[in-house]
């Protein structure tokens, strides 16, 4: 059994987001925010006489639990970008304690594709589930055909 990772143990920089889903919770006030990502497990240094990094990537689901106050800003029209998956620049969280003693986290996911995109929300925590073996790629995300073959 692999050890449970803490927030501080993860790096999501440049992870592609292929989609997201909202799952209503039983209380109807909160739910799960599920991001379908290509998680970069490892940045591999360039081989000798090469200049480009390679990446060990595993398709994964990054799920935030008991989400509320969700704001999503995605604007592909503001810059001349190819239509491609969103990419995470950074994920930040800050603990929030309410007057009744309940604690949660304020989250901010900064995107670098599209530039200036973001998601903000309150959530109690997260889990990440790896959906297949990792593969080595020259790109920071998997192509649609690579994802299909890994997820079959």
């Amino acid at each position: 059994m692999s050890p449970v990772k803490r927030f501080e143990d993860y790096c999501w920089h440049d992870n592609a987001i292929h989609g997201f889903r909202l799952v209503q919770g039983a209380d109807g006030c909160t739910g799960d925010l599920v991001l379908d990502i290509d998680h970069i497990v490892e940045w591999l240094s360039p081989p000798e006489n090469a200049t480009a990094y390679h990446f060990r990537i595993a398709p994964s689901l990054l799920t935030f639990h008991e989400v509320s106050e969700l704001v999503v800003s995605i604007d592909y029209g503001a810059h001349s970008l190819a239509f491609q998956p969103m990419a995470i620049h950074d994920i930040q969280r800050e603990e929030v304690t309410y007057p009744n003693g309940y604690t949660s986290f304020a989250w901010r996911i900064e995107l670098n594709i599209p530039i200036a995109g973001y998601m903000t929300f309150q959530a109690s925590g997260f889990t990440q589930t790896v959906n297949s073996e990792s593969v080595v790629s020259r790109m920071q995300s998997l192509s649609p055909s690579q994802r299909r073959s890994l997820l079959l």
Side-chain angles (χ1 to χ4, degrees), residues 14-20 35-38 72-76 82-89 111-114 117-119 141:
D14 286 342
N15 284 202
I17 302 173
H18 292 277
F20 64 93
L35 304 181
D36 182 7
I37 65 173
D38 286 342
V72 178
S73 177
I74 303 168
D75 185 357
Y76 278 90
F83 196 71
Q84 60 191 20
M86 296 175 281
I88 298 169
H89 172 69
L111 304 176
N112 54 24
I113 298 174
Y118 64 89
M119 298 178 184
S141 64

Side-chain angles (χ1 to χ4, degrees), residues 1-151:
M1 182 175 184
S2 62
V4 175
K5 286 188 169 183
R6 300 171 306 136
F7 172 76
E8 296 79 9
D9 296 333
Y10 283 94
C11 176
W12 292 283
H13 181 70
D14 286 342
N15 284 202
I17 302 173
H18 292 277
F20 64 93
R21 184 173 72 243
L22 306 177
V23 180
Q24 183 176 351
D27 64 5
C29 297
T30 65
D32 287 350
L33 169 62
V34 183
L35 304 181
D36 182 7
I37 65 173
D38 286 342
H39 183 60
I40 300 174
V41 177
E42 184 179 10
W43 293 56
L44 302 170
S45 297
E48 192 174 320
N49 300 323
T51 58
Y53 275 80
H54 285 68
F55 307 91
R56 183 170 304 284
I57 300 173
S60 302
L61 294 178
L62 176 56
T63 304
F64 296 92
H65 305 288
E66 297 179 322
V67 171
S68 64
E69 302 178 39
L70 175 64
V71 175
V72 178
S73 177
I74 303 168
D75 185 357
Y76 278 90
H79 303 279
S80 297
L81 287 176
F83 196 71
Q84 60 191 20
M86 296 175 281
I88 298 169
H89 172 69
D90 189 32
I91 299 180
Q92 303 156 8
R93 75 172 185 177
E94 180 179 323
E95 188 171 18
V96 177
T97 302
Y98 294 93
N100 66 0
Y102 177 77
T103 60
S104 186
F105 293 97
W107 297 82
R108 183 171 183 89
I109 300 175
E110 295 282 345
L111 304 176
N112 54 24
I113 298 174
I115 298 169
Y118 64 89
M119 298 178 184
T120 60
F121 50 90
Q122 300 281 320
S124 62
F126 75 98
T127 54
Q128 183 165 310
T129 306
V130 176
N131 292 333
S132 80
E133 295 290 325
S134 63
V135 296
V136 175
S137 172
R138 290 183 290 157
M139 306 299 291
Q140 290 175 306
S141 64
L142 301 172
S143 70
S145 62
Q146 286 174 307
R147 285 179 61 79
R148 273 192 302 277
S149 68
L150 288 170
L151 296 172

